[in-house]
Amino acid sequence: MRAAGQELILAITGASGAAVGVRLLEVLSERGEAVHLIISQGAETVIREETARAIGDLKALATFYHAAQDVAAPLASGSYVSPNVRAMIVAPCSMKTLASIASGFA
């Protein structure tokens, strides 16, 4: 179980295997974890095609939801700092996405 006030960021991308991100969100929700959820537009398509879950159901499992295209969301800022956020998980994460993150491109 998380420490009081601790939060996680979960980004679900459109890579094949979006069901992994969906299941992780379910588990985190069951554990009472505070989760900031971001679902890419590609992920929305993959989730609809590969799972039986509605996007609205996933948003309801999260503590906070941030639209992927919302450039005004606090998490979108490179200067966003929160003592409460302990980690970010990108699941699934393609090698292209991983390389983009590692190089600071995305």
Side-chain angles (χ1 to χ4, degrees):
M1 189 60 82
R2 65 181 165 84
Q6 293 293 293
E7 303 168 358
L8 297 169
I9 301 169
L10 173 59
I12 301 178
T13 70
S16 180
V20 172
V22 170
R23 181 65 186 135
L24 179 57
L25 177 61
E26 292 169 343
V27 170
L28 293 172
S29 177
E30 290 166 6
R31 290 176 43 107
E33 299 283 351
V35 177
H36 290 264
L37 177 64
I38 305 164
I39 303 174
S40 73
Q41 290 178 330
E44 288 188 15
T45 301
V46 174
I47 289 166
R48 284 188 195 101
E49 296 293 324
E50 295 184 358
T51 75
R53 301 304 299 261
I55 300 302
D57 294 340
L58 300 180
K59 292 177 183 179
L61 289 175
T63 312
F64 308 98
Y65 175 75
H66 307 280
Q69 65 277 11
D70 183 5
V71 296
L75 298 179
S77 172
S79 63
Y80 176 75
V81 177
S82 171
N84 297 330
V85 175
R86 64 179 177 179
M88 179 174 184
I89 304 162
V90 180
C93 188
S94 68
M95 289 307 295
K96 179 181 176 185
T97 298
L98 180 62
S100 296
I101 293 168
S103 67
F105 178 72

XYZ file of all heavy atoms in Angstrom:
757
model
N 0.853 -1.181 0.000
C 0.000 0.000 0.000
C 0.889 1.231 0.000
O 1.983 1.238 0.539
C -0.912 -0.041 1.210
C -1.983 1.029 1.209
S -3.133 1.025 -0.170
C -4.273 -0.220 0.357
N 0.407 2.284 -0.599
C 1.170 3.511 -0.738
C 1.275 4.270 0.578
O 0.453 4.123 1.460
C 0.534 4.400 -1.789
C -0.833 4.896 -1.399
C -1.428 5.755 -2.509
N -2.841 5.936 -2.305
C -3.388 6.849 -1.516
N -2.627 7.659 -0.831
N -4.680 6.957 -1.385
N 2.289 5.107 0.659
C 2.401 6.019 1.792
C 1.369 7.123 1.603
O 0.976 7.445 0.489
C 3.812 6.600 1.843
N 0.923 7.705 2.687
C -0.091 8.758 2.625
C 0.364 9.877 1.702
O 1.496 10.344 1.784
C -0.362 9.303 4.020
N -0.525 10.284 0.807
C -0.227 11.381 -0.086
C 0.581 11.025 -1.314
O 0.854 11.874 -2.137
N 0.981 9.774 -1.478
C 1.793 9.371 -2.612
C 0.914 9.079 -3.825
O -0.163 8.498 -3.700
C 2.636 8.141 -2.277
C 3.694 8.418 -1.230
C 4.754 9.365 -1.745
O 5.523 9.036 -2.633
N 4.777 10.571 -1.197
N 1.378 9.486 -5.005
C 0.625 9.316 -6.238
C 1.513 8.720 -7.320
O 2.729 8.868 -7.283
C 0.094 10.675 -6.715
C -0.766 11.374 -5.684
C -1.050 12.836 -6.022
O -0.545 13.344 -7.050
O -1.766 13.477 -5.236
N 0.886 8.059 -8.282
C 1.564 7.508 -9.443
C 0.976 8.138 -10.698
O -0.196 8.505 -10.721
C 1.358 5.991 -9.519
C 1.930 5.170 -8.380
C 1.419 3.742 -8.450
C 3.445 5.184 -8.462
N 1.779 8.219 -11.740
C 1.298 8.638 -13.048
C 1.327 7.401 -13.928
O 2.353 6.721 -14.016
C 2.186 9.739 -13.668
C 2.241 10.962 -12.756
C 1.689 10.096 -15.072
C 3.292 11.988 -13.159
N 0.213 7.114 -14.589
C 0.135 5.985 -15.515
C -0.244 6.517 -16.890
O -1.311 7.115 -17.054
C -0.889 4.952 -15.056
C -1.184 3.812 -16.033
C 0.080 3.003 -16.363
C -2.281 2.904 -15.482
N 0.639 6.314 -17.852
C 0.358 6.684 -19.237
C 0.134 5.398 -20.014
O 0.997 4.519 -20.024
C 1.520 7.468 -19.830
N -1.026 5.290 -20.637
C -1.318 4.137 -21.488
C -1.180 4.612 -22.925
O -1.865 5.540 -23.345
C -2.730 3.571 -21.218
C -2.864 3.153 -19.744
C -3.010 2.397 -22.144
C -4.244 2.629 -19.374
N -0.264 3.972 -23.662
C -0.002 4.371 -25.042
C -0.701 3.432 -26.007
O -1.254 2.410 -25.612
C 1.510 4.364 -25.342
O 1.969 3.007 -25.360
C 2.287 5.168 -24.316
N -0.623 3.773 -27.293
C -1.293 2.988 -28.325
C -0.511 1.793 -28.810
O -0.908 1.148 -29.773
N 0.579 1.468 -28.150
C 1.340 0.287 -28.549
C 0.496 -0.964 -28.344
O -0.394 -1.000 -27.497
C 2.628 0.189 -27.723
N 0.794 -1.987 -29.130
C 0.086 -3.254 -28.967
C 0.289 -3.734 -27.535
O 1.387 -3.645 -26.997
C 0.640 -4.285 -29.945
O -0.045 -5.498 -29.791
N -0.761 -4.202 -26.929
C -0.667 -4.649 -25.548
C -1.225 -3.639 -24.578
O -0.881 -3.634 -23.398
N -2.082 -2.743 -25.054
C -2.685 -1.742 -24.170
C -3.426 -2.399 -23.007
O -3.607 -1.787 -21.960
C -3.627 -0.831 -24.952
N -3.801 -3.663 -23.175
C -4.469 -4.392 -22.095
C -3.583 -4.471 -20.849
O -4.095 -4.542 -19.726
C -4.855 -5.795 -22.554
N -2.271 -4.411 -21.032
C -1.344 -4.416 -19.889
C -1.555 -3.157 -19.052
O -1.643 -3.215 -17.828
C 0.124 -4.514 -20.365
C 1.090 -4.320 -19.206
C 0.370 -5.846 -21.050
N -1.652 -2.013 -19.700
C -1.903 -0.759 -18.995
C -3.260 -0.751 -18.316
O -3.410 -0.274 -17.194
N -4.258 -1.313 -19.003
C -5.606 -1.396 -18.435
C -5.588 -2.247 -17.178
O -6.137 -1.860 -16.136
C -6.610 -1.959 -19.466
C -7.951 -2.275 -18.824
C -6.783 -0.979 -20.623
N -4.947 -3.394 -17.242
C -4.898 -4.281 -16.072
C -4.126 -3.642 -14.930
O -4.517 -3.753 -13.767
C -4.277 -5.635 -16.432
C -4.215 -6.598 -15.280
C -5.602 -6.991 -14.797
N -5.495 -7.802 -13.593
C -6.228 -7.640 -12.507
N -7.179 -6.723 -12.463
N -6.045 -8.398 -11.456
N -3.042 -2.956 -15.243
C -2.276 -2.263 -14.203
C -3.144 -1.221 -13.518
O -3.133 -1.111 -12.288
C -1.023 -1.626 -14.791
C -0.145 -0.847 -13.818
C 0.302 -1.714 -12.646
C 1.051 -0.274 -14.545
N -3.915 -0.471 -14.279
C -4.825 0.514 -13.694
C -5.829 -0.163 -12.769
O -6.105 0.334 -11.671
C -5.548 1.293 -14.790
C -6.587 2.313 -14.318
C -5.948 3.390 -13.440
C -7.297 2.933 -15.516
N -6.362 -1.294 -13.178
C -7.312 -2.029 -12.335
C -6.677 -2.438 -11.015
O -7.268 -2.256 -9.942
C -7.821 -3.274 -13.071
C -8.700 -2.972 -14.251
C -8.986 -4.183 -15.121
O -8.266 -5.199 -15.025
O -9.937 -4.108 -15.909
N -5.465 -2.968 -11.082
C -4.760 -3.406 -9.873
C -4.449 -2.231 -8.956
O -4.663 -2.294 -7.740
C -3.472 -4.180 -10.234
C -2.605 -4.419 -9.004
C -3.813 -5.503 -10.912
N -3.958 -1.144 -9.541
C -3.651 0.039 -8.732
C -4.905 0.574 -8.056
O -4.870 0.968 -6.881
C -2.993 1.115 -9.585
C -1.599 0.793 -10.122
C -1.149 1.855 -11.113
C -0.599 0.634 -8.984
N -6.007 0.571 -8.776
C -7.278 1.035 -8.210
C -7.723 0.122 -7.069
O -8.146 0.597 -6.009
C -8.345 1.078 -9.303
O -9.590 1.449 -8.759
N -7.609 -1.185 -7.268
C -7.979 -2.146 -6.225
C -7.142 -1.956 -4.961
O -7.626 -2.149 -3.851
C -7.805 -3.581 -6.732
C -8.808 -3.988 -7.791
C -8.423 -5.272 -8.525
O -7.428 -5.919 -8.142
O -9.122 -5.605 -9.493
N -5.898 -1.552 -5.145
C -4.988 -1.335 -4.009
C -5.176 0.023 -3.354
O -4.529 0.332 -2.355
C -3.539 -1.457 -4.475
C -3.121 -2.870 -4.845
C -1.704 -2.892 -5.396
N -0.799 -2.059 -4.641
C 0.148 -2.512 -3.812
N 0.297 -3.800 -3.644
N 0.927 -1.683 -3.176
N -6.030 0.848 -3.921
C -6.265 2.169 -3.349
C -5.194 3.184 -3.682
O -5.060 4.201 -2.992
N -4.436 2.933 -4.738
C -3.379 3.860 -5.147
C -3.987 5.099 -5.790
O -4.964 5.014 -6.539
C -2.435 3.195 -6.150
C -1.724 1.969 -5.622
C -0.569 2.280 -4.705
O -0.176 3.458 -4.589
O -0.053 1.344 -4.082
N -3.416 6.243 -5.542
C -3.817 7.475 -6.209
C -3.106 7.522 -7.558
O -1.875 7.481 -7.612
C -3.442 8.688 -5.370
N -3.876 7.578 -8.640
C -3.310 7.482 -9.981
C -3.729 8.671 -10.848
O -4.909 8.991 -10.936
C -3.760 6.172 -10.677
C -3.234 6.098 -12.106
C -3.317 4.953 -9.883
N -2.726 9.293 -11.479
C -2.949 10.283 -12.534
C -2.935 9.475 -13.833
O -1.925 8.848 -14.156
C -1.804 11.305 -12.594
C -1.755 12.236 -11.442
N -2.312 13.491 -11.490
C -1.189 12.108 -10.211
C -2.084 14.107 -10.330
N -1.405 13.280 -9.548
N -4.020 9.475 -14.579
C -4.115 8.675 -15.799
C -4.067 9.553 -17.036
O -4.745 10.579 -17.113
C -5.422 7.873 -15.798
C -5.709 7.027 -17.030
C -4.655 5.924 -17.197
C -7.108 6.436 -16.949
N -3.245 9.107 -18.001
C -3.188 9.728 -19.322
C -3.354 8.601 -20.330
O -2.646 7.592 -20.253
C -1.836 10.438 -19.561
C -1.544 11.443 -18.448
C -1.804 11.082 -20.940
C -0.099 11.902 -18.393
N -4.289 8.752 -21.259
C -4.503 7.752 -22.305
C -4.299 8.442 -23.643
O -5.012 9.390 -23.970
C -5.927 7.153 -22.236
C -6.196 6.528 -20.863
C -6.122 6.121 -23.346
C -7.638 6.052 -20.684
N -3.336 7.966 -24.428
C -3.098 8.587 -25.729
C -4.262 8.292 -26.668
O -5.048 7.361 -26.446
C -1.786 8.075 -26.334
O -1.944 6.739 -26.789
N -4.367 9.086 -27.727
C -5.431 8.859 -28.701
C -5.299 7.481 -29.334
O -6.290 6.794 -29.538
C -5.424 9.958 -29.765
C -5.860 11.297 -29.223
C -5.798 12.403 -30.258
O -4.985 12.386 -31.168
N -6.672 13.385 -30.094
N -4.075 7.077 -29.619
C -3.847 5.738 -30.165
C -4.283 4.657 -29.198
O -4.857 3.637 -29.592
N -4.028 4.881 -27.913
C -4.422 3.902 -26.890
C -5.930 3.766 -26.817
O -6.451 2.664 -26.621
C -3.861 4.289 -25.530
N -6.642 4.874 -26.979
C -8.104 4.798 -26.952
C -8.600 3.857 -28.039
O -9.470 3.023 -27.796
C -8.725 6.186 -27.109
C -8.563 7.052 -25.886
C -9.346 8.354 -25.963
O -10.237 8.478 -26.830
O -9.066 9.242 -25.134
N -8.018 3.952 -29.215
C -8.394 3.071 -30.326
C -8.065 1.621 -30.010
O -8.906 0.726 -30.179
C -7.684 3.509 -31.625
O -8.047 4.856 -31.913
C -8.051 2.609 -32.780
N -6.840 1.373 -29.531
C -6.416 0.002 -29.225
C -7.268 -0.589 -28.103
O -7.685 -1.748 -28.173
C -4.912 -0.043 -28.859
C -4.501 -1.430 -28.389
C -4.067 0.381 -30.054
N -7.565 0.192 -27.085
C -8.376 -0.292 -25.962
C -9.762 -0.689 -26.451
O -10.282 -1.745 -26.079
C -8.441 0.766 -24.837
C -7.079 0.873 -24.149
C -9.549 0.436 -23.834
C -6.919 2.084 -23.256
N -10.349 0.132 -27.300
C -11.683 -0.202 -27.843
C -11.642 -1.487 -28.670
O -12.575 -2.281 -28.638
C -12.219 0.940 -28.699
C -12.721 2.105 -27.891
C -13.422 3.137 -28.802
N -13.572 4.378 -28.087
C -12.793 5.454 -28.240
N -11.820 5.449 -29.112
N -12.995 6.539 -27.531
N -10.556 -1.679 -29.431
C -10.447 -2.842 -30.312
C -10.024 -4.116 -29.590
O -10.460 -5.204 -29.950
C -9.452 -2.555 -31.450
C -9.878 -1.456 -32.383
C -11.105 -1.808 -33.199
O -11.256 -2.982 -33.587
O -11.926 -0.908 -33.456
N -9.158 -3.991 -28.577
C -8.541 -5.170 -27.964
C -9.080 -5.535 -26.588
O -8.720 -6.580 -26.058
C -7.024 -4.980 -27.857
C -6.324 -4.893 -29.196
C -4.816 -4.809 -29.071
O -4.284 -4.781 -27.931
O -4.147 -4.754 -30.118
N -9.892 -4.670 -25.986
C -10.422 -4.983 -24.653
C -11.928 -4.743 -24.633
O -12.476 -4.144 -25.542
C -9.775 -4.118 -23.536
O -10.308 -2.802 -23.592
C -8.256 -4.075 -23.657
N -12.542 -5.191 -23.584
C -13.979 -4.989 -23.415
C -14.261 -3.758 -22.555
O -15.385 -3.565 -22.110
C -14.605 -6.230 -22.775
N -13.241 -2.935 -22.322
C -13.388 -1.782 -21.435
C -13.745 -0.520 -22.199
O -13.224 -0.265 -23.269
C -12.093 -1.532 -20.650
C -11.609 -2.671 -19.786
C -12.653 -3.140 -18.772
N -13.065 -2.129 -17.839
C -12.610 -1.992 -16.606
N -11.718 -2.824 -16.145
N -13.074 -1.036 -15.815
N -14.615 0.284 -21.605
C -14.942 1.606 -22.142
C -13.963 2.611 -21.542
O -13.552 2.478 -20.387
C -16.373 1.979 -21.778
N -13.606 3.601 -22.325
C -12.661 4.619 -21.854
C -13.196 5.309 -20.599
O -12.452 5.573 -19.649
C -12.362 5.643 -22.961
C -11.758 4.954 -24.193
C -11.443 6.747 -22.449
C -10.478 4.185 -23.938
N -14.486 5.575 -20.554
C -15.089 6.201 -19.371
C -14.920 5.367 -18.117
O -14.724 5.913 -17.025
N -14.967 4.039 -18.267
C -14.758 3.150 -17.119
C -13.342 3.283 -16.585
O -13.108 3.252 -15.375
C -15.015 1.686 -17.496
C -16.461 1.403 -17.840
O -17.338 2.203 -17.445
O -16.712 0.385 -18.511
N -12.384 3.420 -17.489
C -10.988 3.551 -17.068
C -10.756 4.887 -16.377
O -10.069 4.957 -15.359
C -10.058 3.403 -18.267
C -10.147 2.074 -19.006
C -9.181 2.044 -20.176
C -9.895 0.905 -18.068
N -11.338 5.935 -16.925
C -11.214 7.254 -16.295
C -11.771 7.217 -14.873
O -11.217 7.841 -13.964
C -11.950 8.312 -17.111
C -11.324 8.608 -18.451
C -12.176 9.614 -19.226
C -11.639 9.881 -20.601
N -12.477 10.835 -21.348
N -12.849 6.465 -14.679
C -13.469 6.371 -13.350
C -12.587 5.632 -12.354
O -12.696 5.853 -11.145
C -14.838 5.686 -13.461
N -11.711 4.762 -12.829
C -10.805 4.026 -11.933
C -9.662 4.906 -11.434
O -9.052 4.623 -10.407
C -10.218 2.794 -12.635
C -11.172 1.639 -12.906
C -10.460 0.553 -13.710
C -11.725 1.076 -11.607
N -9.358 5.952 -12.185
C -8.239 6.831 -11.839
C -8.679 7.891 -10.837
O -9.841 8.275 -10.777
C -7.700 7.501 -13.095
N -7.732 8.362 -10.056
C -7.981 9.459 -9.132
C -8.047 10.770 -9.896
O -8.874 11.638 -9.608
C -6.859 9.531 -8.078
O -6.634 8.218 -7.551
C -7.204 10.477 -6.955
N -7.149 10.917 -10.870
C -7.078 12.109 -11.711
C -6.977 11.652 -13.161
O -6.303 10.668 -13.446
C -5.832 12.953 -11.388
C -5.679 13.292 -9.946
C -4.833 12.542 -9.136
C -6.359 14.362 -9.384
C -4.673 12.841 -7.787
C -6.206 14.667 -8.034
C -5.369 13.910 -7.239
N -7.632 12.362 -14.061
C -7.505 12.062 -15.485
C -7.020 13.317 -16.200
O -7.536 14.416 -15.973
C -8.837 11.610 -16.096
C -8.729 11.428 -17.589
C -8.072 10.329 -18.115
C -9.217 12.395 -18.463
C -7.918 10.176 -19.482
C -9.066 12.250 -19.830
C -8.422 11.138 -20.328
O -8.254 10.991 -21.681
N -6.035 13.144 -17.075
C -5.488 14.248 -17.863
C -5.571 13.849 -19.333
O -4.983 12.829 -19.727
C -4.030 14.530 -17.486
C -3.819 14.738 -16.019
N -4.095 15.929 -15.384
C -3.391 13.891 -15.044
C -3.823 15.814 -14.092
N -3.397 14.587 -13.864
N -6.275 14.617 -20.133
C -6.374 14.329 -21.561
C -4.990 14.463 -22.197
O -4.238 15.404 -21.889
C -7.355 15.286 -22.224
N -4.655 13.539 -23.059
C -3.321 13.525 -23.679
C -3.031 14.806 -24.460
O -1.891 15.265 -24.496
C -3.187 12.306 -24.584
N -4.043 15.403 -25.052
C -3.840 16.607 -25.850
C -3.951 17.894 -25.029
O -3.799 18.990 -25.572
C -4.814 16.640 -27.032
C -6.266 16.744 -26.647
C -6.927 15.413 -26.280
O -6.268 14.402 -26.106
N -8.234 15.427 -26.149
N -4.148 17.790 -23.726
C -4.302 18.970 -22.868
C -2.934 19.535 -22.491
O -2.337 19.137 -21.498
C -5.102 18.619 -21.614
C -5.362 19.827 -20.721
O -5.002 20.957 -21.108
O -5.930 19.626 -19.629
N -2.446 20.467 -23.289
C -1.126 21.045 -23.019
C -1.137 21.963 -21.806
O -0.082 22.374 -21.325
C -0.563 21.799 -24.250
C -0.326 20.837 -25.394
C -1.476 22.940 -24.665
N -2.320 22.281 -21.277
C -2.419 23.113 -20.076
C -2.477 22.274 -18.796
O -2.477 22.826 -17.698
C -3.654 24.012 -20.153
N -2.499 20.953 -18.933
C -2.523 20.088 -17.747
C -1.221 20.252 -16.971
O -0.155 20.407 -17.573
C -2.701 18.628 -18.164
N -1.287 20.240 -15.647
C -0.059 20.407 -14.852
C 1.044 19.418 -15.238
O 2.213 19.793 -15.301
C -0.525 20.169 -13.415
C -1.982 20.472 -13.429
C -2.468 20.091 -14.797
N 0.671 18.189 -15.521
C 1.679 17.174 -15.851
C 2.373 17.445 -17.182
O 3.443 16.902 -17.443
C 1.040 15.787 -15.906
C 0.420 15.270 -14.612
C -0.197 13.896 -14.833
C 1.431 15.220 -13.491
N 1.772 18.274 -18.040
C 2.349 18.559 -19.357
C 3.546 19.497 -19.271
O 4.328 19.587 -20.210
C 1.289 19.157 -20.273
N 3.712 20.167 -18.163
C 4.792 21.126 -18.013
C 6.087 20.442 -17.593
O 6.095 19.604 -16.688
C 4.421 22.172 -16.953
O 5.532 22.998 -16.677
N 7.159 20.826 -18.246
C 8.472 20.296 -17.878
C 8.926 20.763 -16.502
O 9.828 20.189 -15.901
N 8.279 21.779 -15.994
C 8.638 22.293 -14.672
C 7.727 21.747 -13.573
O 7.848 22.152 -12.419
C 8.596 23.829 -14.673
O 7.273 24.282 -14.934
N 6.807 20.836 -13.936
C 5.891 20.288 -12.932
C 6.681 19.488 -11.901
O 7.444 18.583 -12.241
C 4.854 19.386 -13.589
C 3.926 18.706 -12.595
C 2.919 19.418 -11.965
C 4.073 17.365 -12.285
C 2.071 18.812 -11.053
C 3.232 16.747 -11.375
C 2.233 17.470 -10.767
O 1.395 16.870 -9.865
N 6.512 19.848 -10.658
C 7.160 19.140 -9.559
C 6.115 18.912 -8.480
O 5.391 19.835 -8.101
C 8.334 19.956 -8.970
C 8.945 19.235 -7.785
C 9.377 20.239 -10.027
N 6.025 17.693 -8.017
C 5.115 17.397 -6.924
C 5.803 16.442 -5.963
O 6.299 15.402 -6.387
C 3.831 16.743 -7.432
O 3.061 16.285 -6.338
N 5.836 16.778 -4.705
C 6.436 15.850 -3.734
C 5.588 14.598 -3.557
O 6.037 13.621 -2.975
C 6.490 16.677 -2.445
C 5.410 17.700 -2.614
C 5.345 17.997 -4.081
N 4.355 14.633 -4.086
C 3.464 13.497 -3.917
C 3.609 12.446 -5.005
O 3.210 11.303 -4.814
C 2.003 13.970 -3.868
C 1.737 14.865 -2.678
O 2.367 14.737 -1.632
N 0.833 15.798 -2.851
N 4.134 12.810 -6.166
C 4.273 11.849 -7.260
C 5.557 11.076 -7.077
O 6.640 11.643 -7.039
C 4.242 12.554 -8.637
C 4.518 11.558 -9.745
C 2.897 13.230 -8.851
N 5.415 9.759 -6.939
C 6.612 8.944 -6.691
C 7.139 8.230 -7.922
O 8.289 7.796 -7.939
C 6.343 7.927 -5.595
C 5.300 6.901 -5.948
C 5.088 5.906 -4.836
N 4.016 5.011 -5.224
C 3.597 4.020 -4.509
N 4.151 3.787 -3.350
N 2.626 3.252 -4.932
N 6.315 8.083 -8.972
C 6.796 7.391 -10.173
C 5.841 7.602 -11.324
O 4.671 7.937 -11.128
C 6.929 5.893 -9.898
N 6.370 7.407 -12.532
C 5.546 7.391 -13.732
C 5.767 6.069 -14.428
O 6.906 5.606 -14.562
C 5.897 8.532 -14.680
C 5.059 8.516 -15.937
S 5.358 9.966 -16.966
C 4.140 9.684 -18.240
N 4.667 5.472 -14.857
C 4.716 4.203 -15.564
C 4.117 4.422 -16.943
O 3.048 5.027 -17.068
C 3.897 3.118 -14.823
C 4.398 2.967 -13.391
C 3.924 1.797 -15.585
C 3.407 2.265 -12.477
N 4.799 3.952 -17.978
C 4.271 3.990 -19.334
C 4.042 2.535 -19.743
O 4.995 1.766 -19.868
C 5.240 4.682 -20.316
C 4.657 4.708 -21.719
C 5.567 6.097 -19.834
N 2.784 2.162 -19.892
C 2.470 0.758 -20.175
C 1.271 0.671 -21.111
O 0.211 1.185 -20.770
C 2.154 0.009 -18.874
N 1.434 0.073 -22.262
C 2.681 -0.481 -22.786
C 3.610 0.638 -23.273
O 3.184 1.766 -23.458
C 2.202 -1.331 -23.959
C 0.976 -0.631 -24.436
C 0.328 -0.069 -23.205
N 4.848 0.275 -23.472
C 5.837 1.253 -23.911
C 6.640 0.647 -25.056
O 7.434 -0.266 -24.847
C 6.751 1.635 -22.750
S 7.856 3.000 -23.144
N 6.404 1.158 -26.258
C 7.157 0.689 -27.423
C 8.587 1.217 -27.344
O 8.880 2.162 -26.596
C 6.499 1.172 -28.716
O 6.623 2.586 -28.814
N 9.461 0.638 -28.110
C 10.840 1.125 -28.144
C 10.887 2.553 -28.682
O 11.700 3.362 -28.244
C 11.721 0.205 -28.994
C 11.989 -1.140 -28.317
S 12.651 -0.984 -26.636
C 14.212 -0.216 -26.923
N 9.990 2.902 -29.606
C 9.941 4.266 -30.137
C 9.578 5.252 -29.019
O 10.209 6.302 -28.887
C 8.926 4.360 -31.269
C 8.816 5.758 -31.842
C 7.785 5.813 -32.960
C 7.634 7.252 -33.434
N 6.575 7.394 -34.418
N 8.581 4.898 -28.216
C 8.186 5.766 -27.105
C 9.307 5.856 -26.080
O 9.631 6.944 -25.595
C 6.886 5.256 -26.449
O 5.839 5.291 -27.425
C 6.496 6.093 -25.252
N 9.911 4.731 -25.758
C 11.018 4.721 -24.797
C 12.174 5.600 -25.280
O 12.714 6.400 -24.518
C 11.504 3.291 -24.563
C 12.657 3.129 -23.591
C 12.268 3.616 -22.203
C 13.099 1.672 -23.549
N 12.525 5.483 -26.557
C 13.596 6.303 -27.101
C 13.233 7.784 -27.079
O 14.078 8.638 -26.792
C 13.928 5.859 -28.537
N 11.965 8.092 -27.362
C 11.507 9.485 -27.326
C 11.602 10.069 -25.932
O 12.023 11.212 -25.755
C 10.069 9.583 -27.833
O 9.985 9.217 -29.181
N 11.223 9.288 -24.945
C 11.309 9.742 -23.556
C 12.765 9.915 -23.147
O 13.151 10.937 -22.568
C 10.594 8.765 -22.612
C 9.080 8.766 -22.879
C 10.883 9.114 -21.148
C 8.328 7.644 -22.194
N 13.595 8.912 -23.465
C 15.003 8.939 -23.059
C 15.750 10.115 -23.690
O 16.639 10.700 -23.058
C 15.679 7.620 -23.428
N 15.378 10.479 -24.909
C 16.080 11.569 -25.590
C 15.454 12.933 -25.317
O 15.960 13.945 -25.782
C 16.103 11.310 -27.099
O 14.803 11.392 -27.626
N 14.355 12.951 -24.579
C 13.691 14.205 -24.264
C 12.813 14.712 -25.387
O 12.346 15.844 -25.357
N 12.547 13.873 -26.376
C 11.712 14.266 -27.510
C 10.236 14.290 -27.140
O 9.472 15.081 -27.643
C 11.945 13.301 -28.680
C 11.100 13.582 -29.883
C 11.361 14.688 -30.687
C 10.050 12.763 -30.213
C 10.580 14.954 -31.798
C 9.263 13.019 -31.326
C 9.531 14.121 -32.120
N 9.826 13.409 -26.237
C 8.411 13.325 -25.861
C 8.284 12.928 -24.410
O 9.189 12.422 -23.809
C 7.680 12.315 -26.731
